[in-house]
Amino acid sequence: ETDTTSSYHTVNIRDEHVRVARAHNERFDVYVGYPVTDIEESLASVRSSFYVGIPIALVISILGGLWLARKALRPIEQIAGMAREIGAKNLSQRIDLPGKTDRELATLTETLNSMFARLESSFQQVTQFTSDASHELKTPLSIIKGEIEQARRHLESSQSIDPDETRRLLESVMEEVERMHRIVEGLLLLSRADERQLPLSLEEVKIYDYLEALSEDGAILAGERGLTLECRLEERAMGKLIMADTTRLYQIVMNL
């Protein structure tokens, strides 16, 4: 058991590869052999399968990946196409949720529809605001134009203008100019408020007394329209001080 040595060799016997193991000592030589042709043929078959199968598997994987990617991106392309078709003229349209979509695409579609709804509301407000502003400015401009045309006709007919008539004309034009000035100031006020650049003149105000005084003005306006305005203020608010711009606060409360 102590002097046995072993060695391994591959030899060719009758055109067949044989793997031979030799164990020996001083008394014995033992040789064991096994043909490896079958193993080599099996390995060659496996190598051939790899040479053919790996390229086929790669081609199938690439084509399958492209197909899956296109299938996954098709709903996104549909959503993007519908979003591109929605413009300022048709903001009322909404993106239809493609069938069999996952939660992420549904969330994306809902977010886009919500954004379009806000845009539609903003456009409607801008359109209404422009229409109202145009209407408000049209009236004083028409009055000023009429006054000027009347003065021109009078001047052409009599070659002179009575001082009283001139004063009346100028006063009428000035009233309309001041009215237009107030309208423009209101537009600038709204623009600054939207941009959060509205300057405020803050001062301490007793909110209870202030609102109670405004309720008297509100009651007068309500009475002119056949309405009744009741002011119900909490007693615990009496004496409370707040920092506010009284001019802006008056506009807010009276608008309400």
Side-chain angles (χ1 to χ4, degrees):
E1 295 179 356
T2 59
D3 59 354
T4 299
T5 59
S6 301
S7 60
Y8 300 89
H9 301 277
T10 300
V11 298
N12 197 0
I13 302 176
R14 297 178 182 177
D15 297 328
E16 188 172 10
H17 293 141
V18 178
R19 186 68 169 170
V20 178
R22 172 178 179 255
H24 65 91
N25 57 22
E26 294 178 352
R27 299 178 59 190
F28 301 100
D29 278 336
V30 179
Y31 294 89
V32 178
Y34 185 83
V36 296
T37 303
D38 294 340
I39 299 176
E40 291 178 345
E41 290 178 353
S42 299
L43 292 176
S45 176
V46 171
R47 284 194 296 269
S48 299
S49 300
F50 273 110
Y51 294 152
V52 176
I54 289 178
I56 294 176
L58 286 175
V59 172
I60 293 175
S61 299
I62 293 173
L63 295 178
L66 292 174
W67 179 78
L68 289 175
R70 185 166 182 81
K71 182 180 180 181
L73 293 176
R74 187 177 295 114
I76 298 179
E77 293 176 353
Q78 294 175 357
I79 293 173
M82 287 185 286
R84 284 191 295 267
E85 293 176 357
I86 298 177
K89 299 297 183 181
N90 55 351
L91 282 174
S92 58
Q93 293 186 2
R94 295 293 180 266
I95 299 176
D96 296 329
L97 187 64
K100 298 181 179 180
T101 55
D102 53 19
R103 183 171 59 86
E104 288 76 11
L105 287 179
T107 302
L108 173 62
T109 303
E110 293 173 357
T111 302
L112 289 175
N113 285 334
S114 177
M115 181 190 67
F116 287 132
R118 292 194 299 271
L119 286 175
E120 181 184 10
S121 177
S122 299
F123 267 94
Q124 290 176 349
Q125 291 177 0
V126 170
T127 302
Q128 184 64 37
F129 178 78
T130 304
S131 176
D132 294 342
S134 300
H135 179 74
E136 291 292 333
L137 290 173
K138 183 179 179 180
T139 301
L141 287 174
S142 299
I143 295 175
I144 293 174
K145 181 180 179 181
E147 294 285 358
I148 294 175
E149 289 180 348
Q150 182 179 358
R152 185 183 63 181
R153 288 194 300 268
H154 185 75
L155 181 62
E156 290 176 351
S157 62
S158 62
Q159 301 300 320
S160 64
I161 300 180
D162 182 68
D164 294 336
E165 181 68 18
T166 303
R167 188 179 300 106
R168 185 200 65 78
L169 172 64
L170 293 177
E171 289 176 355
S172 176
V173 171
M174 181 58 67
E175 289 178 0
E176 298 304 324
V177 170
E178 290 178 352
R179 180 181 176 186
M180 290 178 60
H181 178 73
R182 290 194 298 269
I183 294 174
V184 173
E185 284 293 330
L187 297 178
L188 292 176
L189 175 66
L190 292 176
S191 177
R192 291 170 183 168
D194 289 339
E195 295 176 359
R196 298 183 181 274
Q197 296 179 354
L198 183 64
L200 297 177
S201 179
L202 300 179
E203 59 181 294
E204 284 190 348
V205 179
K206 291 185 177 180
I207 186 62
Y208 187 97
D209 297 338
Y210 187 80
L211 293 179
E212 192 174 34
L214 289 187
S215 67
E216 297 176 359
D217 296 341
I220 295 174
L221 295 176
E224 295 176 353
R225 292 164 175 77
L227 302 175
T228 301
L229 177 65
E230 295 182 4
C231 181
R232 299 177 182 177
L233 301 175
E234 295 184 2
E235 294 297 331
R236 60 179 181 177
M238 185 176 296
K240 290 285 186 179
L241 294 175
I242 65 169
M243 298 298 296
D245 186 323
T246 55
T247 302
R248 307 304 179 204
L249 185 59
Y250 179 86
Q251 292 175 335
I252 292 173
V253 176
M254 295 308 294
N255 280 334
L256 291 176

